[in-house]
Amino acid sequence: MKRKWEVFLMVMLLMMALNANATVLFSDNYNRANDNNIDASSGGMGGSLGSLTYVEIGDDEIYPVQSGTGNPYPELTHIENNQLYMATGTNMSTMYLDHNFTDAAILSDGGMKIGLSIIQDLGAGTTGQYFAGFGVGNTLQECEDVWFDHNGTGFRGQVGNSLQEGVSDLWVGWSPRFGGIIQVFKNGPTEKGGENYNIENISLTGNDRLELELFFDSFGDGSTVNANILWNGTVVGTDSFAWDADTMLENYIGINGRQAAGFVVDDLVIQTIPEPATLLLLGVGALVLRKRK
């Protein structure tokens, strides 16, 4: 009878492991008609949250006072050929998704993953001032105030030797500097004291994927978040930081890019990360060993 119980328990936990699927909260493959308004249509959007709105910083409809009589750069961020074109001009693309990613499903699964594909770097700029990436841990107020950073670096932080402070708790992005690097900007109360650094020898080959995995059990201020930085599915860096939401429990995702002629990106996916099946199976083995002793 005891043996049957062990086998039954192993089978049940194995089924749990195999059925631990991620929940896609939001995805966008940008398969919709060419348009300067990138969410004029919800075509290509999916996930449990359905369609979401991209708030482009400086948009006349959102910020009529700041932007004056009209947006001078209407094509900086646009849909073209079923892809997202960012920073296609002498200015920035800076936007955020109008959703607070503190969903119960994220805590239930113990983490989340954000990723997008960087298809092409269209510009000639090769310094660290040019990049395409995304940041997490932004409050709504921080997202809205990014408009006042005219270099469009507010989510990431400084450009060149300037001292502009970023607002994302953690920001990652690809830059053409040194032939290709991943920039990591840690602007909250981090393990390394807010240091910013590069992961080098990351070349852009076309349709490369930048992803950030975050593991945590709370969105509370000061709660530790462990992070994996992935390039084409391979972990190229690990780090940790702490949420700094100013007691507001907000996690808006900001996306930005800077390049003289632009970047082409695609396939944005934001999902939960369930407990890895390998960990559950290890738990099964440990439980069975304890039962047998």
Side-chain angles (χ1 to χ4, degrees):
M1 182 68 182
K2 183 178 179 181
R3 178 63 177 170
K4 289 182 178 179
W5 167 250
E6 290 174 357
V7 172
F8 174 75
L9 187 60
M10 288 178 66
V11 171
M12 290 300 295
L13 289 176
L14 178 60
M15 290 176 64
M16 288 171 59
L18 295 177
N19 287 300
N21 296 319
T23 298
V24 176
L25 300 171
F26 178 73
S27 64
D28 196 347
N29 61 20
Y30 305 105
N31 289 353
R32 46 190 179 270
N34 294 355
D35 203 311
N36 292 339
N37 182 353
I38 64 176
D39 52 15
S41 163
S42 60
M45 295 185 187
S48 62
L49 296 175
S51 61
L52 294 179
T53 299
Y54 292 87
V55 181
E56 297 179 65
I57 308 304
D59 186 304
D60 325 330
E61 297 177 2
I62 305 299
Y63 298 100
V65 176
Q66 294 94 322
S67 57
T69 57
N71 184 353
Y73 307 107
E75 298 181 3
L76 275 175
T77 310
H78 63 274
I79 302 294
E80 183 178 336
N81 298 323
N82 295 328
Q83 294 171 320
L84 180 65
Y85 281 63
M86 298 173 59
T88 56
T90 56
N91 214 304
M92 303 297 255
S93 284
T94 306
M95 71 198 84
Y96 65 91
L97 284 167
D98 193 15
H99 178 78
N100 184 14
F101 284 91
T102 57
D103 306 81
I106 298 173
L107 290 179
S108 175
D109 280 357
M112 65 185 299
K113 177 190 283 189
I114 306 100
L116 56 76
S117 297
I118 303 177
I119 307 300
Q120 192 174 1
D121 177 8
L122 300 173
T126 58
T127 71
Q129 299 186 36
Y130 303 103
F131 53 81
F134 51 85
V136 298
N138 305 286
T139 68
L140 180 58
Q141 188 64 55
E142 286 172 335
C143 289
E144 293 174 344
D145 288 348
V146 165
W147 190 92
F148 296 104
D149 175 4
H150 299 294
N151 284 319
T153 61
F155 294 123
R156 189 199 77 154
Q158 66 187 35
V159 162
N161 296 320
S162 68
L163 297 177
Q164 294 167 319
E165 183 178 353
V167 298
S168 295
D169 293 346
L170 183 70
W171 183 96
V172 294
W174 184 85
S175 169
R177 190 181 187 191
F178 303 138
I181 60 174
I182 291 176
Q183 297 177 328
V184 183
F185 275 63
K186 297 168 43 166
N187 303 304
T190 64
E191 182 182 64
K192 296 185 179 181
E195 293 178 355
N196 303 323
Y197 58 93
N198 301 326
I199 301 171
E200 300 186 356
N201 301 315
I202 307 292
S203 60
L204 192 68
T205 60
N207 201 28
D208 297 287
R209 190 152 186 85
L210 175 64
E211 295 174 305
L212 180 63
E213 291 181 337
L214 305 174
F215 301 92
F216 52 93
D217 56 16
S218 171
F219 284 102
D221 284 13
S223 298
T224 298
V225 183
N226 294 312
N228 290 332
I229 302 163
L230 296 88
W231 184 253
N232 291 329
T234 299
V235 175
V236 294
T238 61
D239 212 322
S240 66
F241 65 98
W243 294 122
D244 179 22
D246 300 325
T247 72
M248 302 182 71
L249 299 182
E250 291 185 319
N251 179 31
Y252 286 81
I253 295 174
I255 304 168
N256 57 334
R258 188 174 195 266
Q259 178 57 282
F263 282 97
V264 183
V265 303
D266 208 344
D267 296 320
L268 173 68
V269 177
I270 303 168
Q271 65 183 60
T272 68
I273 306 178
E275 184 177 7
T278 52
L279 294 181
L280 287 173
L281 291 174
L282 287 173
V284 172
L287 181 59
V288 170
L289 285 174
R290 286 198 301 270
K291 288 275 187 185
R292 287 179 175 174
K293 285 183 177 179

